[in-house]
Amino acid sequence: MSDRATSPSRRAVLAGTGAGMLAAGLPSALARAADVPVLGEYDVVVVGSGASGMTAALTAAGRGLSVLVVEKAPTFGGSAARSGAGIWLPNNSVILGAGVPDTPEKAAAYLSAVVGPGVPAARQQAFLANGPRMLDFVMAHSPLTFRFMDGYSDYYPNLPGGLPNGRSIEPGQIDGNILGAELAHLNPAYLPVPAGMVVFSQDYKWLNLAAVSAKGLAVSTECLARGAAAAACGQKPLTMGQALATGLRAGLIRAGVPLWLNSPLVDLVQEGGAVTGVVVEKDGARGTVRARRGVVIGSGGFEHNAEMRAQYQQQPIGTQWSVGAKENTGDGIRAGQRAGAALALMEDAWWGPSIPLPGEPYFCLAERTLPGGLIVNGAGARFVNEAAPYSDVVHVMYEKDRGTGSHIPAWLIVDQNYRNKYLFKDVLPTIVFPDSWYQAGAAKKAWSWDALAGQIGVPAAALRATLNRFNAQAWNGTDPDFHRGDTAYDHYYTDPGVQPNSCLAPVWAPPFYAFKIVPGDLGTKGGIVTDARARALREDGSVIRGLWAAGNASAAVMGHSYAGAGSTIGPAMTFGHVAANDIADA
């Protein structure tokens, strides 16, 4: 599919027309910029303090430019701080140092095979060429270190250039004390690390198996030992997204880069066809910040903007199903659009099967992959490889739901044998699930297949037939229907103690459980169309002078696909780096 939207749906055209008429009837901040006070002037203004924004600011400062970061939220870090902070970067120094057999040729072949012809080759090459340079720059200009996520396969390892052992990295442990009082402004993690432990993203695979695996128990013990060692030294140990955001923020502090919290973008300022600054709201009043060299939009996606999701994306959709930062309401994307930028990939997101638990959705990774579970639709039938890359599973849900309305929600079904072995979210094996899960309708429990079918509203005979067929195949370790277990990625979150296929085990031991599955996401992936230099483009392909974009505020270099763990953050940081260097080089 094209990197640029070429044939919008009738609904999108009508909605876009209505939005345009509404915007035309309102006084724009572009026109009002002269009427508000000037709050400052910098070479570069960066909108957003997530991975893309802080990397852009760090790079610009490293190139000798004066920089300001403005952030809508009362916290810094955005969605990156909430995440596991996997970073997909082919040929970076960390993985090459770990002996990963990557080459530029392999990476180019793989990325091309994953994203297809819709993403311009120049943008793909810009990502591959600049990713390793970005990482080395970040390590040289911040306290961040990184670790190879050994064994976390590329998502399509069977494609040309795919690596079964993976290319992903994650931040090393960092002491939050380096931020002093500023640590209180760090956006909290989506899933807090258990108290007293230091856990890396890669550890979760084994923590899920601690009750049934010697290695799982050993990793759990190691996590506790790390926590005890950090406590003995008086540290505040941080990993994953908390470490990434902390390290980048520490780099900005060292470089003397100010970051204004609670300062949302109102609009861009344009003069003579070029973006020359921003209008922000600070301390309850609007003001202009001038940008002598350029503005970088790194303000995230629009996952928490119900109007935009309804305009661009397929129903059913819900802002309440996203785990992206709650402040991500598309402000930067809309500002770029008003300045003339083209948009693309607005219909897509970094999808993942999610359980709508009370309070916050749960983005389902290991739980749908571990042996002893399967996903069924409203007709009680399987319809997808449950262990497939999470974005693919939701794409299938939407594709098959069109016209039938039978795949959203779907249901993840497991048995007591599964519950006796594996961690589920943060609920230990054998421990009962919270009553609130059942009260919210997110979980169901019954002592027979037929009773469970009644609770989730699927035909009992169909569910029996599905389970009988699934169990027969699981005993043999094969899945001719959906090929679960055919790739190295399928086996990443599974139980190596289950043979002959670590993805498959029968569902037979009562009671049985069902969990509602909806199309959740880590954030949206559509936004401002950019070129290989991260410059914002108009519909005709011309460059909007003074405006750059990166991260989820820009149309993803991954197109409609997902190369591996960290395909959001890796490109976000890389194109933030590219944008800042392009500004400095001008």
Side-chain angles (χ1 to χ4, degrees), residues 6-62:
T6 56
S7 55
S9 66
R10 180 175 181 271
R11 180 185 66 186
V13 169
L14 292 174
T17 301
M21 291 174 64
L22 179 63
L26 292 175
S28 169
L30 297 175
R32 296 195 305 268
D35 302 327
V36 297
V38 175
L39 301 178
E41 185 170 343
Y42 299 82
D43 291 327
V44 182
V45 176
V46 176
V47 181
S49 65
S52 64
M54 285 200 286
T55 303
L58 189 66
T59 303

Side-chain angles (χ1 to χ4, degrees), residues 4 270 273-275 339-341 529-548 582:
R4 182 174 303 195
Q270 281 185 296
V275 172
V529 175
T530 57
D531 64 8
R533 292 158 59 181
R535 300 178 299 179
L537 303 179
R538 298 183 180 90
E539 286 286 354
D540 62 5
S542 61
V543 173
I544 300 175
R545 290 184 292 121
L547 184 62
W548 288 256
D582 196 57

Side-chain angles (χ1 to χ4, degrees), residues 504-517:
L504 294 172
V507 178
W508 60 272
F512 304 99
Y513 304 85
F515 303 92
K516 184 180 291 185
I517 298 293

Side-chain angles (χ1 to χ4, degrees), residues 34 36 105 111 135 137 168 190 218-219 222 247 275 279 316 323 380 387 399 414-415 423 431 508 518-519 522 584:
V36 297
E105 295 74 21
L111 185 61
L135 192 73
F137 179 93
S168 301
Y190 154 57
V219 168
E222 183 180 357
V275 172
V279 177
V323 298
E399 178 184 346
V414 305
D415 69 354
L423 186 73
I431 302 299
W508 60 272
V518 297
L522 302 170

